[in-house]
Amino acid sequence: MKTPINLNNPLLRDWTGPYGGVPDFSTYTISDFKPAIEFAIQEKLEEIDKIANNPERPSFDNTIKALEISGEKLDRIHSVYGIYRSNLSSPEFNIVDTEMSPKLAEISDKLYQNEKLFSRIESLYKSENKENLSNEQKRLLWVYYSDFVREGAELNKNEKEKVAKINQELAGLFTLFSQKLLAEENDQYLELKTEADFNGLPEEFKNAAIAEAKERNLNVLGCIGNTRSSIEPFLTFSNQRNLREKAFDIFVKRGDNGNENDTNETLISILRLRSEKAKILGFNNFAEWSLSNKMAKDPQKTLDLMHSVWKPAVEKVKNDVASMQGMVDGENENFKIQPWDYRFYAEKVRKAKYDLDQNEIKQYLQLENLREGMFWTAGELFDLGFKQLFDVPVYHSDVRVWEVNNKNTGEPIGLWYFDPYARLGKRSGAWMNSHRDQQKINVNVLPIVSNNCNFIKGNSDEPVLISWDDATTLFHEFGHALHGLCSNVTYPSLSGTSVARDYVEFPSQLLEHWLATPEVLNKFALHYKTNEPLSGSLVERIGQAANFNEGFATVETISSSFVDMKLHLRTETINPHDFEKEVLKEINMPSEIVMRHRIPQFAHIFSSDGYAAGYYSYLWADVINADAYEAFLEGNGPFDKVISKRLYDTVLSVGNTIDNEEMYENFRGHAPQSDALMRARNFPVES
């Protein structure tokens, strides 16, 4: 029997207001989540049972379409729940999260293991009448059928029960891993106690460190938070080598300190359960299961790609390190370059080789100007307009909202939420979320997407200046947002970014290219004091240095990809420390660099199954991205209207309505060519 509905619970109410309704964050409290989720779960399961037990003959409308529109209330609640989980975490919320995560995971098991429901889907999929469906309907039917099979719909009762139990255990472990990692990031920091501790730091970064110490009520001059957005600038600019080492140490040891927040036992349990689940589902290992619905399909294909790029990247690193070591020796210092030295001396080499100082560039990279630059780019490429809204409820005062529209007609196409700043309770990194997927089954439902970052806010009377790398990340995440906003499909399961995991990074990585275009730099890279644009010579030097340090970035990322894939090819229990050392030794990891994500803090693969055995996706998608950008270079340049329209028509607007390989070939005219990546990174191409 369904739990009686509490009409006073705001999470159970429909979203109201303009744009098809928006979440009313002003009314939600953490205590609302548990009863709302429990009610919505029951409602969703009753809807599934009604579809499964429909006495009418299975049809697309009474089965597949019915599934697509089921669980709307739970979808809305889950969206708000995810926002709290990523942006507003607290001890009070964590209690709810720990209890509710397994219950939310249980829904999928009850869906995929419903024999009557699968029977209806299977009969439709194998029916000759499916040829009467539209191409999008056939694609959706294929997605449902293949997902059900992949998740164990054909298993016997005992096997299904085992998989369900594993899935619920995993959900709890994912939550535990995330909570431990966030606690490590919140609780650890580097104290700056003397004026000398600020030596080398840019003025605005120094001010942000002072503000951070005040916010934490610390009796010190400044504080460097234990997040990438704080640690990496410190490692780049601080000339206090002992402090760089301390900052590096707390960052790379997150989750690996033998304390209550140590993640090693948690991740070992995750790996064991994944391996067990894969075997029950008929796969040799979790990597094979994970790639069964990706473009790559075969783990060996991903390893071959990694190896093909690894060797030239390592050679590039060796050459770069030699230049850095020359700097050290020239300063009469007696040490070998260590990982906490790499960014600092790379910056020195960049300045000497290209007369390019990141601090100099940063004076032109104002966050708000670059946001406007992204809007302008989207307008030039895809005819999008942006209008800020001030009457839409938000979950934090830092969050702002824009209407996204067709700038020619003024017709709204969606909403974009922007949450740019770091704060306690917000997970580190940068990401895009879809809070409501575009669809038009019965009415045209507009997408709601967000971009979330962790820039350092600093003083309220100063513009926020960000690094070139951070600016690149800003454009990257906006590429994901555009993928969601430009979606123009009928069914939500095929909407926006609902593509293969190793394809989803393609549009986002592609958009990064537009940051460095003269059109964007000249209009939006304006000095924060003089409002003067970057000089022509500086723009030219930025172009010349575009591939500088590419070896570092490639090695840092691919080493994590190797470790991820090899973790999930193993079936026996591993010791994380020994395994990490073993794999890095095997691939000849340069000693001056560490993985971008060490195993104990690898949230991409241990906070969910999302990127598990899938971190290679960034490299895979970069091959596609490099090949795609060459289409613009072969045409009339980055703002070629014909090619950008083809990109919109064949990629951004079609979601997952077409096979992803076919989708790309519709845009490019051929399959992606890996040589394009080697050219883009200025690596040698083997003949």
Side-chain angles (χ1 to χ4, degrees):
M1 182 178 175
K2 187 186 293 186
T3 303
I5 188 169
N6 178 3
L7 296 176
N8 293 320
N9 190 322
L11 283 167
L12 291 170
R13 298 175 196 149
D14 290 346
W15 292 354
T16 59
Y19 306 100
V22 295
D24 188 0
F25 292 104
S26 64
T27 64
Y28 305 144
T29 65
I30 292 173
S31 61
D32 295 325
F33 278 110
K34 181 181 175 181
I37 290 171
E38 289 176 337
F39 178 87
I41 285 175
Q42 282 186 281
E43 184 175 79
K44 167 86 171 181
L45 293 175
E46 287 175 6
E47 290 171 345
I48 291 172
D49 284 341
K50 185 177 180 181
I51 297 167
N53 292 293
N54 189 336
E56 296 179 9
R57 185 177 179 179
S59 70
F60 183 89
D61 281 354
N62 70 22
T63 304
I64 304 302
K65 179 182 173 181
L67 284 169
E68 283 293 279
I69 61 177
S70 68
E72 289 184 359
K73 190 177 272 89
L74 183 60
D75 288 343
R76 290 196 303 269
I77 295 168
H78 199 268
S79 172
V80 177
Y81 180 77
I83 290 169
Y84 271 72
R85 195 181 202 194
S86 297
N87 301 279
L88 301 170
S89 182
S90 66
E92 182 187 7
F93 177 79
N94 287 346
I95 294 171
V96 177
D97 194 20
T98 299
E99 183 179 359
M100 290 295 105
S101 291
K103 292 185 178 182
L104 288 165
E106 188 178 13
I107 303 170
S108 292
D109 294 319
K110 290 186 175 179
L111 172 71
Y112 290 123
Q113 296 184 6
N114 188 310
E115 293 182 9
K116 291 181 179 179
L117 183 59
F118 178 62
S119 177
R120 296 178 72 86
I121 294 169
E122 185 177 37
S123 68
L124 288 170
Y125 181 72
K126 294 182 177 180
S127 169
E128 293 180 359
N129 293 331
K130 76 177 181 182
E131 293 307 314
N132 297 325
L133 300 175
S134 70
N135 288 336
E136 185 175 344
Q137 288 173 332
K138 282 189 276 191
R139 176 70 173 177
L140 182 61
L141 177 56
W142 173 82
V143 166
Y144 267 99
Y145 176 75
S146 57
D147 281 354
F148 267 74
V149 171
R150 185 172 179 270
E151 294 292 343
E154 297 177 319
L155 299 176
N156 62 42
K157 182 179 179 182
N158 183 51
E159 290 169 333
K160 285 178 179 177
E161 288 175 354
K162 287 180 180 178
V163 168
K165 184 173 183 294
I166 288 171
N167 285 338
Q168 289 175 54
E169 285 185 56
L170 283 171
L173 290 168
F174 295 153
T175 299
L176 181 61
F177 182 92
S178 299
Q179 290 176 357
K180 286 183 173 184
L181 186 58
L182 182 59
E184 288 278 271
E185 292 171 347
N186 284 342
D187 297 345
Q188 297 172 5
Y189 46 83
L190 176 68
E191 294 182 345
L192 304 181
K193 300 177 181 179
T194 69
E195 283 296 334
D197 291 348
F198 291 97
N199 285 354
L201 301 183
E203 190 66 25
E204 73 282 352
F205 187 69
K206 175 181 177 179
N207 291 339
I210 293 171
E212 176 87 358
K214 289 179 180 176
E215 184 178 340
R216 289 179 179 267
N217 295 316
L218 300 176
N219 188 27
V220 292
L221 296 182
C223 171
I224 305 299
N226 196 16
T227 63
R228 191 175 298 278
S229 57
S230 293
I231 295 292
E232 288 188 354
F234 187 81
L235 294 176
T236 302
F237 297 113
S238 173
N239 58 24
Q240 300 295 301
R241 189 168 188 252
N242 64 319
L243 291 181
R244 291 203 306 270
E245 183 176 0
K246 288 180 181 179
F248 175 84
D249 195 58
I250 63 170
F251 189 67
V252 301
K253 288 185 178 177
R254 289 169 298 148
D256 197 24
N257 290 300
N259 56 19
E260 61 183 4
N261 293 319
D262 192 282
T263 63
N264 284 287
E265 289 302 318
T266 305
L267 69 88
I268 288 171
S269 297
I270 290 172
L271 291 169
R272 176 181 55 79
L273 289 169
R274 281 176 174 161
S275 179
E276 186 179 337
K277 174 183 172 180
K279 288 179 181 177
I280 296 171
L281 291 168
F283 293 84
N284 292 319
N285 50 63
F286 184 83
E288 288 186 4
W289 178 83
S290 178
L291 268 72
S292 63
N293 68 345
K294 309 293 193 301
M295 286 182 73
K297 300 290 191 291
D298 178 13
Q300 190 58 48
K301 285 177 69 175
T302 73
L303 292 170
D304 291 344
L305 174 61
M306 289 183 234
H307 279 295
S308 71
V309 181
W310 180 255
K311 186 176 178 181
V314 170
E315 286 303 311
K316 183 78 164 56
V317 166
K318 287 180 180 177
N319 292 334
D320 291 345
V321 168
S323 298
M324 294 182 222
Q325 193 64 53
M327 284 271 187
V328 173
D329 298 343
E331 295 170 350
N332 294 318
E333 296 284 0
N334 186 27
F335 62 83
K336 179 181 178 293
I337 291 287
Q338 298 296 325
W340 50 90
D341 301 313
Y342 201 109
R343 293 177 185 276
F344 181 74
Y345 281 96
E347 188 57 30
K348 284 196 170 193
V349 171
R350 187 202 311 264
K351 190 171 182 180
K353 191 171 183 179
Y354 299 101
D355 190 23
L356 195 63
D357 184 344
Q358 286 282 50
N359 265 331
E360 180 185 5
I361 299 172
K362 195 171 184 179
Q363 312 307 307
Y364 295 86
L365 301 180
Q366 300 179 60
L367 175 60
E368 293 306 311
N369 280 5
L370 291 173
R371 177 189 50 72
E372 288 293 330
M374 297 191 311
F375 289 174
W376 181 84
T377 300
E380 292 296 300
L381 293 175
F382 310 118
D383 292 326
L384 299 182
F386 296 80
K387 179 176 74 175
Q388 188 170 0
L389 305 174
F390 298 94
D391 56 352
V392 173
V394 293
Y395 56 85
H396 190 276
S397 58
D398 287 342
V399 181
R400 288 165 289 161
V401 184
W402 278 262
E403 171 199 292
V404 186
N405 53 56
N406 181 310
K407 70 177 185 179
N408 298 318
T409 65
E411 189 72 19
I413 68 163
L415 295 180
W416 183 69
Y417 287 56
F418 188 39
D419 183 3
Y421 304 122
R423 59 177 172 269
L424 292 177
K426 185 178 184 181
R427 71 177 174 92
S428 62
W431 64 95
M432 169 267 190
N433 273 134
S434 175
H435 302 313
R436 183 174 66 203
D437 293 332
Q438 177 272 331
Q439 54 118 321
K440 47 185 178 182
I441 295 178
N442 296 319
V443 296
N444 190 26
V445 176
L446 300 181
I448 300 176
V449 305
S450 72
N451 279 152
N452 308 68
C453 309
N454 272 278
F455 300 124
I456 307 303
K457 196 170 185 179
N459 294 333
S460 58
D461 59 343
E462 295 177 344
V464 175
L465 304 180
I466 64 177
S467 70
W468 184 266
D469 285 348
D470 282 341
T472 301
T473 298
L474 190 68
F475 271 67
H476 175 102
E477 297 303 336
F478 191 60
H480 283 306
L482 292 179
H483 198 181
L485 289 163
C486 292
S487 179
N488 185 23
V489 306
T490 303
Y491 301 100
S493 291
L494 301 178
S495 181
T497 58
S498 300
V499 295
R501 181 67 70 175
D502 49 7
Y503 192 76
V504 75
E505 295 296 336
F506 154 48
S508 57
Q509 291 178 200
L510 183 62
L511 197 75
E512 294 176 19
H513 292 279
W514 274 266
L515 169 63
T517 59
E519 293 88 343
V520 170
L521 292 178
N522 290 333
K523 285 177 180 291
F524 301 101
L526 306 178
H527 196 279
Y528 80 106
K529 288 183 178 177
T530 67
N531 219 35
E532 290 293 315
L534 285 162
S535 66
S537 64
L538 190 49
V539 171
E540 184 179 351
R541 281 178 277 148
I542 289 173
Q544 291 170 347
N547 288 309
F548 178 77
N549 221 23
E550 195 65 70
F552 171 84
T554 305
V555 164
E556 187 189 42
T557 302
I558 298 183
S559 58
S560 293
S561 304
F562 270 122
V563 168
D564 165 43
M565 187 58 66
K566 289 176 180 288
L567 273 172
H568 291 103
L569 285 168
R570 286 279 182 99
T571 55
E572 67 273 20
T573 302
I574 58 105
N575 176 295
H577 296 107
D578 293 344
F579 184 85
E580 189 173 292
K581 290 177 182 176
E582 173 190 324
V583 174
L584 296 181
K585 182 180 180 181
E586 178 185 314
I587 63 175
N588 192 27
M589 178 75 168
S591 63
E592 300 86 0
I593 303 178
V594 296
M595 299 162 57
R596 184 166 180 81
H597 306 284
R598 288 193 56 242
I599 293 176
Q601 67 242 196
F602 209 159
H604 277 77
I605 67 173
F606 292 123
S607 63
S608 73
D609 277 340
Y611 279 90
Y615 197 69
Y616 77 90
S617 299
Y618 288 97
L619 179 63
W620 187 273
D622 223 0
V623 169
I624 305 174
N625 141 55
D627 185 73
Y629 192 63
E630 287 194 348
F632 286 90
L633 300 181
E634 292 162 8
N636 293 318
F639 293 92
D640 188 311
K641 292 285 188 183
V642 174
I643 296 172
S644 59
K645 184 178 188 306
R646 190 163 77 236
L647 180 67
Y648 177 90
D649 290 341
T650 60
V651 177
L652 293 183
S653 65
V654 299
N656 193 29
T657 59
I658 303 171
D659 175 80
N660 296 166
E661 291 183 49
E662 181 184 344
M663 189 191 306
Y664 183 76
E665 291 188 21
N666 288 343
F667 167 68
R668 191 67 171 102
H670 61 242
Q673 298 173 347
S674 59
D675 284 1
L677 177 65
M678 307 301 274
R679 288 190 290 271
R681 298 192 176 185
N682 201 26
F683 291 166
V685 179
E686 293 184 4
S687 57

